[in-house]
Amino acid sequence: MGLQIPTYIPSMNKKTLDHLLIALTVLFDLCFVATAIVVAYWVRFESGWIPETLALHKGGTPPLDDYFRLIPLMAIIWLTTLKTLRLYRLESNATVSAFWTLCKAAGIALIATLAALFFIYHHDAYSRWVMLLASGFSLVWLFFGRLVLHRFRQAIHAQGVGVSRVALIGYDARSEQFINTLQTKPNSGYELVGIVTETADADDLGVQYLGEGQNILEIVQKHRLDTLFILSPAVPNDAILQILHVCEGVPVQINVLPELSEFIIGGNAITLFEGIPVLQLRETPMQGVSGIVKRLIDIVFSLFALIVLSPLMLTIAVIIRLTSPGKAIFRQERVGRAGKPFRIYKFRSMRADAEYNVGHVWAETDDPRQTSLGKFLRRWSLDELPQFFNVLKGDMSLVGPRPEMSGLIDTFSESIPHYLARQRVKSGMTGWAQVNGLRGNTSLEERISYDRYYIENWSLALDIKIILKTLWAIKKG
């Protein structure tokens, strides 16, 4: 199978949008809880609405600063309670049941706050009226904020932003339930593109027929699919394994809708999709808030590096031009995320005609095509400095699997199991394989194993660890 190049890269996926909205929900909750304390203080002590005979607090009007000091405590209690009661799930935050759950959260937060005040302060130090009113205000405002964000999310989805394009693979009695669920919720964030099946007429189900499962890679790329739902056992296990294999090189999330007997044992991979149990086999990595932070780190670090290292880079470029004929910057086509080709930038470390009649081959440790300056640059990784431009452009990341030459992809993908899995994420200037000694002309099978480990276990902490180990390795030469 030849190199497949997708026709798009999504601007914002559903998971990223959902994480942003969850972050906004948390921010709103903090603001509402803080504001509720101030408003409750005003109602109790300054509005005159509560007669002193009904007040539970004695001893005059306390300073507002005392209640400002309560804000961190109440914020922690509220956020912990809301998280425990699963009120940061966007799908069910604007329903009647969510309101009653918020009422429960308000009661728990009030009791926890009073208990904390009892052990930390004298029991008469704070007005219980203020605590009661603050809980009531928080309850109303938190639900109102969730309702506004829910409507905003629906409006965003209606514009096609953050919508996951979905295809159903296979057909059985559950197909109609799945299709009806999506069609009755047009702004849920999922768009049912069609069905992939060999056994049923999709027209009878009222959805588009996309093709047969054996052509799943072409279907994913042609219809720009983000998520696949596979009906098991309507789709046999060997077919599911084949789908996982051919889709390794594209960033598509793959889920299985199992029968009851298959998900009774449960596990972290079992999720609910609009009330339907779904077994998630693989998730698209580096999305959501962590993915945004990773990209921001790439931009800030690469921009900083280009500014600080610009005198060194200019000096290297001038020396290259003076010591050997040809351009200072070497450009070569590489393959990155989702099989998308891009031009990688490097300082030229070989003769200008190094690839003439040679094609795409790896450089050897003591490659005779290297210039004397190039050998020095490669030893200290100085030839890779222009790749900060690739990182700034978004072609690459600071950390990730090293990008391969396009002419070698077909050969490697056919001979090395799971090779295309490394294309699920952006290529990197450095990676887990490189900091573990697999750099340059080393065992490709081992490098793929390390790349897969990085993808499956990725975290921002792991990125920082790799960057620090890379700097240490460069320091040692």
Side-chain angles (χ1 to χ4, degrees), residues 135-155:
S135 296
F137 291 142
S138 297
L139 166 64
V140 175
W141 293 341
L142 262 61
F143 181 74
F144 178 74
R146 280 161 169 72
L147 184 62
V148 170
L149 285 177
H150 178 73
R151 299 300 184 193
F152 175 74
R153 179 172 178 248
Q154 287 187 324

Side-chain angles (χ1 to χ4, degrees), residues 24-72:
L24 279 176
T25 304
V26 173
L27 180 61
F28 281 9
D29 289 350
L30 290 173
C31 293
F32 290 149
V33 170
T35 304
I37 295 176
V38 176
V39 174
Y41 175 91
W42 179 83
V43 171
R44 163 63 185 88
F45 293 110
E46 299 181 359
S47 67
W49 296 345
I50 300 178
E52 199 62 35
T53 55
L54 297 179
L56 300 177
H57 181 83
K58 307 298 182 182
T61 301
L64 180 59
D65 289 347
D66 289 349
Y67 287 86
F68 280 146
R69 286 194 287 270
L70 276 183
I71 292 177

Side-chain angles (χ1 to χ4, degrees), residues 163-282:
V163 175
S164 181
R165 294 173 59 82
V166 173
L168 179 64
I169 302 179
Y171 175 82
D172 63 13
R174 295 166 294 165
S175 302
E176 187 172 351
Q177 177 193 2
F178 182 88
I179 293 170
N180 288 339
T181 298
L182 285 180
Q183 291 179 339
T184 55
K185 297 184 178 181
N187 294 325
S188 65
Y190 295 93
E191 176 189 355
L192 180 60
V193 178
I195 186 171
V196 179
T197 179
E198 292 87 12
T199 60
D201 189 350
D203 292 335
D204 295 339
L205 297 173
V207 296
Q208 180 183 2
Y209 173 69
L210 302 181
E212 298 182 354
Q214 62 186 7
N215 301 318
I216 188 62
L217 180 59
E218 291 79 3
I219 292 172
V220 168
Q221 294 176 334
K222 176 182 177 182
H223 295 281
R224 299 174 292 135
L225 299 178
D226 302 302
T227 306
L228 301 177
F229 286 92
I230 304 175
L231 286 169
S232 173
V235 180
N237 289 339
D238 58 346
I240 295 177
L241 292 174
Q242 180 65 16
I243 291 171
L244 288 170
H245 174 68
V246 300
C247 292
E248 273 192 325
V250 291
V252 61
Q253 180 172 303
I254 301 176
N255 302 318
V256 167
L257 278 70
E259 285 190 317
L260 180 62
S261 60
E262 295 182 54
F263 63 81
I264 285 179
I265 59 174
N268 292 332
I270 298 292
T271 59
L272 289 179
F273 173 76
E274 302 294 347
I276 303 173
V278 171
L279 175 62
Q280 184 172 290
L281 293 182
R282 192 186 77 194

